[in-house]
Amino acid sequence: MKNFLIALVIAIILVNCLGSLVDSWLGMHIVMSDELLSPWENIAVLSVVGVVLAIVGFVVAVSVLGTIFLALGAGLVALLAVGVSAFWPIILIGIALYALKNRKSARYRQENGHNMRHTL
């Protein structure tokens, strides 16, 4: 929030400076309802426009970051889905071999008189 307020202050200062420069160098003025606004009113309107643009920039920056994180997450999930769908036979065989290995070792312990309660 602190950085956001600093950005707003900087935007207001920049708009005020640019508003004064535009008024003095180019002689541009804002006309509202067929009336020419005074230089201070020009600066006030340009300040409001600057604040709105700063807020829009903040929202766009946050949404772009959010979009990037969402895209990266979706990409990782897609890679995981592709990996599982491409290698599911290997994964299934690995799980089966692991289960059979544990079953054989448990049967070996029972046949040789090893009791798991006494081995601790």
Side-chain angles (χ1 to χ4, degrees):
M1 188 66 176
K2 176 183 165 187
N3 291 337
F4 180 67
L5 292 175
I6 291 172
L8 284 178
V9 169
I10 290 172
I12 290 170
I13 291 170
L14 285 175
V15 168
N16 283 333
C17 293
L18 292 176
S20 299
L21 287 175
V22 166
D23 183 38
S24 63
W25 286 358
L26 302 175
M28 294 178 69
H29 297 282
I30 298 174
V31 177
M32 293 182 74
S33 59
D34 294 332
E35 290 186 21
L36 189 64
L37 296 179
S38 70
W40 287 107
E41 290 172 335
N42 282 338
I43 291 173
V45 170
L46 290 175
S47 296
V48 169
V49 169
V51 169
V52 169
L53 289 176
I55 291 171
V56 168
F58 179 75
V59 169
V60 167
V62 169
S63 66
V64 167
L65 269 171
T67 303
I68 289 171
F69 286 138
L70 183 66
L72 288 175
L76 288 175
V77 169
L79 286 175
L80 179 67
V82 167
V84 169
S85 65
F87 298 110
W88 70 267
I90 296 171
I91 294 171
L92 186 64
I93 291 171
I95 292 172
L97 289 176
Y98 180 74
L100 289 175
K101 177 183 164 187
N102 283 341
R103 198 171 106 188
K104 285 181 183 177
S105 64
R107 183 180 296 161
Y108 175 78
R109 277 188 235 122
Q110 283 180 350
E111 288 174 357
N112 290 329
H114 291 97
N115 193 350
M116 290 185 67
R117 294 182 192 149
H118 297 291
T119 58
L120 297 175

